[in-house]
Amino acid sequence: MTSSAKRVVAGLAAGWLLSAGAALADNATPVFGWVEKAELKPWDIKVKAKLDSGALTSSIDARDIETFQKDDEDWVRFRFELEDEDSGDTVTEEVERPLYRTLTVRGAGGRDERPVVLLNLCVGDTVYEEQFSLRDRGEMFYPVLLGRRTIGHLGHLDVSKTFIHDAECGENAEFVEHEPEEDD
């Protein structure tokens, strides 16, 4: 390779590195750690949420899950029993929500059908209306798991970090409404 060809290759490589570095330094897209504090709205319960890129749909710890009919529609009744990360208190709430869809989960333990509802969750300074499958996560360390659908709304995931943001959503917080996807 001639010296002028080497200079061209070096110049192209330097240009590529600069553009890649500029893209990584883009501050417009927020970065979140693999564990963040989140707040369930409207109950204002702060919880630890694990951001899990291996899951598509988010999941939340729910107990006594039962489906029922209300105004000729399928609804779900369930109970939260969550530790508030700020106060340390266990908060119990009975909740009723329209059934959004049913999720089939296949794994080593077999096949599991889970109800999915829409819930509002504050992460960072924004409230997101997201899909949550309901499951007893009492044996899990994190009561809330945020899957790829939710992570895609948040921004970038840095798996080397935790607790980059606190959940700070006041009355004037931005609200991002759930937009159905093709497989919803």
Side-chain angles (χ1 to χ4, degrees), residues 110-178:
R111 184 176 172 191
D112 189 18
E113 300 279 329
R114 298 180 192 165
V116 176
V117 298
L118 296 178
L119 294 172
N120 294 337
L121 186 76
C122 167
V123 182
D125 60 357
T126 305
V127 177
Y128 299 89
E129 181 183 51
E130 295 292 336
Q131 295 182 45
F132 283 90
S133 70
L134 304 177
R135 177 174 186 252
D136 184 341
R137 295 181 56 85
E139 299 298 318
M140 307 286 189
F141 189 71
Y142 300 102
V144 174
L145 180 141
L146 302 180
R148 291 190 307 273
R149 279 192 176 101
T150 303
I151 295 168
H153 296 141
L154 298 178
H156 295 298
L157 173 59
D158 183 341
V159 297
S160 70
K161 304 248 189 293
T162 58
F163 302 112
I164 296 173
H165 302 273
D166 198 2
E168 297 291 335
C169 294
E171 288 182 24
N172 297 323
E174 180 183 356
F175 178 76
V176 177
E177 190 172 1
H178 172 74

